[in-house]
Amino acid sequence: MFLDIFCFILQSGSGPSTTEYTVRVPKNTSKKYNIMAFNAGDRVNCSSWTQARMERDMSARRIYGEEETPESGAGSEFGKKQREEARRKKFGIVTREFKVEDQPWILKVNGKAGKRFKGIKKGGVTENASYYIFTQCPDGAFEAFPVHGWYNFTQQAKHRTLTAEEAEEEWGRRNKVVNHFSIMLQRRLREQGGCEDDEDETEKGGKKKKKGGQKGGDLRLHDLDDDLEMSSDDSDSSMGEDGESKAKAKKDLGKGKAKKKKQKSHDKEAIEDSDDGDYEGLEVDYMSEESRSDHQNLLFFFFICIDEMSESEEESEEEKQNEEEAKEEEEEEGKKTPVQVENKKKKDSSGESDSSDDSDIEGETASALFMVKKRTPPKRPGGRGSAGSSRTGSRPGTPSIDSASTSSTLRAAASKLEQGKRQIQAAGTDSPAAKRLKMEPSSQSPVPSGKSTPQPPSGKSTPSSSDVQLTEDAVRRYLIRKPMTTKDLLKKFQTKRTGLSSEQTVNVLAQILKRLNPERKMVNDKMHFYLTE
Amino acid sequence: MSEKGEVDLTGVKQNTGVWLVKVPKYLAQQWAKAPGRGEVGKIRICKKGNQGKPEVSFTLNEELTTIEGIEDKTVSAPRDHPFTMQSVGGQMLAVFTESSSDKLALEGVVVQRAECRPAVSESYMKLKRLQIEESSKPARLSQQLLKPVTTNYKPVAIHDYNREYERKKKEEGKRARSDKQQVLDMLFSAFEKHQYYNIKDLVDITKQPVTYLKEILRDIGIYNVKGTHKNTWELKPEYRHYQAEEKTDE
């Protein structure tokens, strides 16, 4: 409209021309005029709006608002209001009133999918000078309306933002994290992970993604000390992790937890609680009498392993190999608690390596127990395949097992359990490599020989003499009669009477138990097996 | 209720352009006094030739120039007010109105900003001086009283208080123990209104001696610290029926 005026003036010639208009200030306006100011950078174009809704933002009302205590009836106190008021006056607390007029506006343009603006009142506009809006009327006169309020409208973010805590956290890591785009991604994944069950797998799945994301995108700059460890762990474990997670899926979750969590906890930087510490302190002392129950535990694990072995033997073994490759140096991180336990034992024993073969054997026995199912001798990349595959085949167990280490360890385990019989065989093969898994050196002999499986034959054992035969029927009889622990069972089938060597006994017994699949119950903290006919 | 909050966008659709003019306070005051239809003056837009910026000037009506100052000083406001034109810049300024019935409408977009400046004149200077004088006066004033205040002595005992105290003593004497049943009724009705009571308030309500009241309260109520420093009495749970408003008695 004004442009028209100016144009008119322009057209009317070169000489100066003036036009006069009357100015009116209407008195009876029921409408209050306000200014809606937008940021230049927002590039708001009002004409593009198809629809707009605006209302006051009343969220501040509850802050200013009344007490939560009810006025009367239940929960109220007599004279509460007066007392509160008196108290406030005494302390000089002046609460500002909640004025609707001063509340911000919420403007929504083009419906739900459109933009959102928040208009905050600008103070002090009408204090020293008045603003007027001059509009031109059809009759050419100007009408001036006073501006009641000025609101600055800013666009509201639709994207997700970090909360204050998260922002502080990220601020702390700002020097380390280069890839800032992953921050929000991780947050989203974290939320997803938190919603799911507390299963290791899912967590790990999520974290793996996260870790992968980090690895993929981040160039993590590490501070020297603590992070160096972490980075070495990272690189080591990254390879093994895929295999591990699959392996874990198949294996006992509870047992796997210890190792896995330990690995992951490094990376997470205290984002999650690591509860692998629960298992850490577990030490089994193989030297002393009192550790008998631990032996039982070991055997129990052993039997469980056998159970599981029937489910998924090959894959796990293959992956175990991978794991072991990756994990060689990391003695601290036993794969499973017992293994961890066992490693510790080994370290202990390796300290006195030369001194006592017994200790070596004892240490190895435990590992042998697991080796039955899980362990292939590590550090044998070449022969692994064959070893692994050969294991699953159930070869008739030769009583004298060639694989020296495994045999000796099994034997040692059995002997320890029986509390008195130690048959030292081929101890020489167990070179007590300090701080090495005992499996490693001992694996040299078995592998070339096309490693015979330490696994007890699926067939029956061959008892030579028979006062007592270690047969399935015998075991069944015992178990039907009353619940027995593994130790009890072993006692029944003493090597002298069955004619089997102790490790054979253990193997065969394990096989039988697997076949029988007895029921288990805990009596006096000991796992008993029993059958019901 | 889709009406509420809906912004009428007709002004924007028509591309109504408005001016935003900053006007001095005194002028705004004068405009508020405008009689009749509200005509306050005339605006003159002068265009100098083809190029050059248009000059806008506002002339105040004669009748509105008289400003009644304080202390009977009437100053006359200047009449001429040239406008200083300013561009809006990148900023988008829209005008919206809120009617008394809470209807919102977008009136238009600001196309031009201006400042109304008074033309410097003698009358303006006088006006300004007056304004300054007024604003420089302190808000609080010390004034000497002609008559000294003689109404507040420092008595030994305040007379009013004394009177009230004596009256109270006469009226109430020692609080008499009424029937236990009556007291219970009073208590229950009181607890219907509020859940927590101070012992003093209960004494006030029931007009019973404190010890007697406490005995009764010990029967039917519990004394709780409640976390706040005020210790309050409330009814025992078995006596409470705050939703149904029933009270079990004894």
Side-chain angles (χ1 to χ4, degrees), chain A residues 454-498:
Chain A
Q455 177 183 334
S458 52
K460 300 259 319 273
S461 61
T462 57
S464 44
S465 73
S466 52
D467 261 351
V468 174
Q469 298 244 8
L470 177 48
T471 61
E472 189 179 337
D473 285 277
V475 175
R476 182 179 289 143
R477 255 185 296 123
Y478 286 130
L479 291 181
I480 288 173
R481 198 183 306 155
K482 79 165 194 171
M484 300 182 72
T485 66
T486 51
K487 206 162 74 135
D488 295 344
L489 281 170
L490 280 166
K491 265 194 215 147
K492 296 282 184 194
F493 302 108
Q494 291 177 5
T495 60
K496 281 192 184 137
R497 307 182 79 196
T498 62

Side-chain angles (χ1 to χ4, degrees), chain A residues 19-291:
Chain A
T19 37
E20 254 195 28
Y21 306 90
T22 345
V23 178
R24 278 200 305 270
V25 177
K27 304 199 83 148
N28 54 347
T29 39
S30 54
K31 294 206 283 192
K32 291 203 185 113
Y33 280 71
N34 302 285
I35 297 282
M36 185 189 282
F38 292 96
N39 228 355
D42 284 345
R43 276 180 242 289
V44 178
N45 187 8
C46 278
S47 40
S48 68
W49 296 355
T50 48
Q51 174 228 104
R53 303 208 54 186
M54 189 154 82
E55 49 195 19
R56 291 277 184 190
D57 177 20
M58 298 297 207
S59 59
R61 191 194 278 275
R62 52 186 171 77
I63 301 172
Y64 279 103
E66 305 78 33
E67 294 274 327
E68 285 156 18
T69 53
E71 289 288 301
S72 72
S76 71
E77 234 184 79
F78 180 78
K80 183 86 177 163
K81 260 186 113 176
Q82 293 93 315
R83 248 187 277 134
E84 279 297 317
E85 214 181 295
R87 187 170 156 273
R88 259 192 257 123
K89 273 199 194 153
K90 175 171 133 194
F91 291 124
I93 302 169
V94 179
T95 42
R96 286 190 297 192
E97 257 184 57
F98 175 85
K99 284 187 229 145
V100 186
E101 280 286 302
D102 294 346
Q103 297 312 305
W105 288 102
I106 301 271
L107 169 67
K108 292 175 206 158
V109 178
N110 295 341
K112 269 283 173 186
K115 297 187 184 166
R116 256 183 128 230
F117 294 91
K118 184 164 181 180
I120 300 168
K121 191 166 189 180
K122 182 164 131 175
V125 168
T126 49
E127 269 167 21
N128 295 321
S130 330
Y131 281 97
Y132 276 79
I133 297 285
F134 278 48
T135 54
Q136 195 165 37
C137 302
D139 65 348
F142 280 83
E143 280 195 342
F145 302 96
V147 166
H148 201 73
W150 185 299
Y151 293 86
N152 288 321
F153 278 76
T154 50
Q155 226 177 337
Q156 299 289 89
K158 285 217 168 145
H159 53 268
R160 292 152 63 95
T161 51
L162 299 175
T163 66
E165 293 89 22
E166 287 169 352
E168 280 200 31
E169 201 186 291
E170 294 297 333
W171 174 255
R173 305 198 302 184
R174 69 191 186 282
N175 290 324
K176 295 185 199 167
V177 176
V178 175
N179 181 14
H180 289 101
F181 294 115
S182 70
I183 292 175
M184 291 309 289
L185 173 69
Q186 286 169 31
R187 180 171 175 251
R188 216 169 293 142
L189 289 171
R190 210 179 303 154
E191 282 175 16
Q192 284 177 18
C195 295
E196 291 169 348
D197 290 337
D198 234 6
E199 291 290 326
D200 282 357
E201 288 146 8
T202 52
E203 266 185 31
K204 275 155 201 169
K207 284 174 215 156
K208 271 173 65 66
K209 261 184 264 160
K210 181 171 158 179
K211 189 173 189 299
Q214 278 188 9
K215 283 207 159 297
D218 281 358
L219 178 64
R220 293 197 127 226
L221 311 172
H222 293 284
D223 289 334
L224 277 179
D225 293 334
D226 39 354
D227 290 339
L228 266 183
E229 235 178 55
M230 179 167 73
S231 51
S232 62
D233 285 356
D234 284 357
S235 50
D236 282 350
S237 56
S238 59
M239 288 187 316
E241 256 179 73
D242 287 321
E244 277 172 358
S245 61
K246 273 187 256 164
K248 286 295 164 191
K250 305 227 169 68
K251 292 181 187 162
D252 192 11
L253 269 182
K255 288 193 280 170
K257 203 174 172 190
K259 173 174 66 129
K260 269 298 179 183
K261 282 266 185 171
K262 203 164 191 211
Q263 275 266 281
K264 296 279 186 181
S265 64
H266 285 316
D267 309 334
K268 294 312 154 253
E269 295 174 55
I271 289 175
E272 54 143 3
D273 282 340
S274 131
D275 46 2
D276 69 314
D278 298 341
Y279 298 95
E280 262 180 10
L282 267 188
E283 290 193 20
V284 181
D285 184 10
Y286 269 65
M287 310 305 154
S288 66
E289 302 271 329
E290 300 88 61
S291 51

Side-chain angles (χ1 to χ4, degrees), chain A residues 1-2 5-6 9-10 13-27 30-40 44-56 71-80 83 87 101 105 107 126-136 139 142 144 147 150-153, chain B residues 1-7 9 12-13 15-25 28 31-50 54 58 83 90-100 104 106-107 109-113 192-198 201 205 226 228-230 232 242:
Chain A
M1 215 173 289
F2 300 126
I5 299 167
F6 295 136
I9 294 168
L10 256 174
S14 51
S17 50
T18 47
T19 37
E20 254 195 28
Y21 306 90
T22 345
V23 178
R24 278 200 305 270
V25 177
K27 304 199 83 148
S30 54
K31 294 206 283 192
K32 291 203 185 113
Y33 280 71
N34 302 285
I35 297 282
M36 185 189 282
F38 292 96
N39 228 355
V44 178
N45 187 8
C46 278
S47 40
S48 68
W49 296 355
T50 48
Q51 174 228 104
R53 303 208 54 186
M54 189 154 82
E55 49 195 19
R56 291 277 184 190
E71 289 288 301
S72 72
S76 71
E77 234 184 79
F78 180 78
K80 183 86 177 163
R83 248 187 277 134
R87 187 170 156 273
E101 280 286 302
W105 288 102
L107 169 67
T126 49
E127 269 167 21
N128 295 321
S130 330
Y131 281 97
Y132 276 79
I133 297 285
F134 278 48
T135 54
Q136 195 165 37
D139 65 348
F142 280 83
V147 166
W150 185 299
Y151 293 86
N152 288 321
F153 278 76
Chain B
M1 283 287 260
S2 62
E3 286 284 330
K4 180 176 165 37
E6 193 75 36
V7 181
L9 292 172
V12 203
K13 297 280 193 259
N15 267 332
T16 335
V18 296
W19 283 11
L20 179 68
V21 183
K22 193 173 186 180
V23 172
K25 262 282 188 258
W31 286 2
K33 291 192 226 153
R37 278 188 67 212
E39 208 183 281
V40 293
K42 289 203 183 355
I43 198 166
R44 185 180 295 123
I45 298 172
C46 180
K47 185 90 171 80
K48 284 220 180 80
N50 269 348
F58 170 76
F83 276 19
Q91 199 180 23
M92 222 290 271
L93 295 166
V95 180
F96 73 96
T97 55
E98 191 183 353
S99 67
S100 46
L104 297 164
L106 215 57
E107 297 294 329
V109 177
V110 172
V111 292
Q112 187 78 251
R113 281 186 81 159
E192 262 175 49
K193 295 199 211 91
H194 297 272
Q195 188 177 352
Y196 301 104
Y197 277 88
N198 203 0
D201 297 327
I205 293 171
K226 211 192 143 197
T228 56
H229 35 261
K230 277 279 182 179
T232 53
Y242 277 113

